[in-house]
Amino acid sequence: MRHARREGLAMTGVLTGGPVYVPVEGRQLAEHELAAHHWVVARLGCHLVREGMYVVPSDTLSVEQAYALGIHWVDQFFGGIVPFPFVGTKLISHPLVAMHASAPKGWRHQHPHRLSGLVVPGWGAFSVEDLHEAAGRLLNEGAVRLKLGEGRGGGQQWVVASLASLKALLEEEAALAAGIEAGVVVERNLRHPVTLSVGHVILPTLSLSYLGYQREACDRHGVAHYGGSRLCCVRGSFSMLLEMLGEPNERLAVEQARAYHAAMFEAFPELVISRANYDVIQGFDARGQWHSGVLEQSWRIGGASPAEILAAECLSSGSRQRVDTNYVECYEANAAAPEGAEVIYRAAVDSGHAPTLTYVEVPAS
């Protein structure tokens, strides 16, 4: 393999003739994440992308990075291209507390209001003062959840029930205090939540949409982690997916994600997205009121991507219009993949806090 570096990118391979993996400088990937990324790239090259340039970046790209890689069309890469860094974070889903509030370059104040009814009630904050104001507006109706805007998955999140506990948290949690300048999300905390994943993938040979349920897994210390996703995938658009669904809450999740997806392009027409995943949470607030809304977007290769690519292989190889796939992360020391599954990663040593085994499968009907 050839290696090169350009515009904050560590490129592996040659940008012609099939998929190339491009690590984007920033967050360090765990071993099992890197293994999943390489598995996705290899399978794309075997079955779905055999000609022309195709890039699989490890993270969302800036316009400048995409230009440096020679990406000009949506079917030349797997992920997303954003005009400003904050657009690829959790912060894009919520308004600021005031027009004069601290905001990053490129912020569009009217955009978050387009998302009313599509997201869980919340605010974005880029200063300590705005953080306190945002929390105060929500705490009258129960506890709030704080999330670093640039955080991934369920990490770097805290729940507070009062302004006093928020003040104490800021004094105790260096990560929260240090992350305020880059942005913090303040959302209503939901109890007994169910998290659904709604996604759309555009490949050179086909497009697919899916509804999924996330699996939770605990390590040997009892800490809960993302444990994989179970996807129901169909050829085509979100509209095709809706035709396959009858359960009202599932349909609502897809409708909210579809509207959120469209609103993003209205606010930021510069966006280019070939892989979109939207986490939709459904649950009850402290007053017992049920909510459903998009938690965050992922416009990059993600946890569900091995299941997405396996589904694309199945849908492209025949007349099937629907397929179910699973991606599973196991934390048990003696974990074993079921018959017919394909192992993606097996840990050499059980660290106690990372997956020992990951696999992907088409489950038996």
Side-chain angles (χ1 to χ4, degrees):
M1 276 188 183
R2 293 172 60 184
H3 300 266
R5 304 185 74 83
R6 189 188 304 168
E7 296 290 330
L9 306 167
M11 296 182 291
T12 304
V14 183
L15 298 186
T16 57
V20 175
Y21 183 61
V22 179
V24 179
E25 292 179 354
R27 185 181 72 100
Q28 178 129 9
L29 295 171
E31 281 187 6
H32 71 283
E33 293 176 302
L34 193 57
H37 288 194
H38 286 303
W39 185 91
V40 165
V41 173
R43 293 299 281 256
L44 282 167
C46 288
H47 303 284
L48 299 165
V49 183
R50 297 184 179 179
E51 298 179 356
M53 185 195 87
Y54 194 82
V55 177
V56 182
S58 64
D59 209 337
T60 307
L61 297 173
S62 68
V63 173
E64 294 76 19
Q65 289 171 327
Y67 178 80
L69 291 169
I71 299 171
H72 302 291
W73 307 103
V74 71
D75 60 359
Q76 290 182 312
F77 78 113
F78 190 80
I81 302 169
V82 297
F84 303 100
F86 74 86
V87 178
T89 73
K90 305 174 192 290
L91 291 153
I92 196 63
S93 296
H94 297 294
L96 306 182
V97 293
M99 291 290 289
H100 61 268
S102 298
K105 178 184 176 182
W107 187 269
R108 297 173 190 179
H109 287 276
Q110 294 307 311
H111 159 67
H113 298 288
R114 294 185 175 96
L115 305 179
S116 178
L118 304 179
V119 298
V120 175
W123 303 92
F126 293 89
S127 71
V128 173
E129 295 76 16
D130 293 342
L131 177 59
H132 277 92
E133 175 65 23
R137 293 184 186 184
L138 290 173
L139 281 168
N140 290 333
E141 298 181 5
V144 301
R145 181 174 294 271
L146 310 178
K147 305 188 290 189
L148 293 188
E150 296 181 347
R152 296 292 180 90
Q156 297 179 310
Q157 298 187 14
W158 304 267
V159 176
V160 298
S162 67
L163 287 176
S165 59
L166 172 58
K167 181 180 179 181
L169 183 66
L170 285 168
E171 294 172 352
E172 297 167 3
E173 285 288 349
L176 176 59
I180 291 177
E181 186 175 348
V184 175
V185 171
V186 185
E187 288 179 336
R188 185 165 295 162
N189 188 53
L190 299 186
R191 298 182 296 182
H192 312 297
V194 174
T195 303
L196 298 87
S197 297
V198 181
H200 183 62
V201 176
I202 299 172
L203 296 170
T205 51
L206 83 161
S207 65
L208 64 86
S209 298
Y210 63 82
L211 172 75
Y213 285 88
Q214 294 185 10
R215 174 180 178 269
E216 187 177 272
C218 290
D219 63 26
R220 68 185 184 197
H221 304 294
V223 178
H225 300 269
Y226 170 73
S229 296
R230 172 170 53 90
L231 307 184
C232 166
C233 307
V234 302
R235 275 180 173 267
S237 65
F238 288 129
S239 296
M240 299 295 290
L241 178 61
L242 282 168
E243 290 182 9
M244 296 279 190
L245 300 175
E247 204 280 320
N249 289 351
E250 293 182 343
R251 290 184 59 84
L252 175 60
V254 175
E255 288 165 350
Q256 288 177 319
R258 179 173 64 171
Y260 183 104
H261 187 76
M264 290 297 166
F265 283 100
E266 290 176 13
F268 299 96
E270 313 97 316
L271 279 173
V272 184
I273 301 171
S274 61
R275 190 270 176 177
N277 176 279
Y278 301 102
D279 284 349
V280 179
I281 190 170
Q282 296 180 338
F284 297 88
D285 65 20
R287 296 185 173 185
Q289 181 177 350
W290 188 81
H291 294 268
S292 177
V294 176
L295 271 181
E296 61 183 283
Q297 82 291 352
S298 172
W299 299 325
R300 57 176 173 80
I301 187 171
S305 292
E308 296 163 3
I309 298 308
L310 181 59
E313 290 178 1
C314 296
L315 293 173
S316 67
S317 62
S319 59
R320 297 174 74 168
Q321 297 299 310
R322 169 181 170 166
V323 65
D324 294 345
T325 56
N326 291 336
Y327 170 68
V328 179
E329 297 185 353
C330 304
Y331 284 77
E332 300 84 2
N334 59 348
E339 184 177 354
E342 181 170 347
V343 173
I344 295 176
Y345 169 79
R346 191 185 299 276
V349 178
D350 178 12
S351 68
H353 57 77
T356 56
L357 175 76
T358 70
Y359 65 86
V360 67
E361 66 172 345
V362 177
S365 12

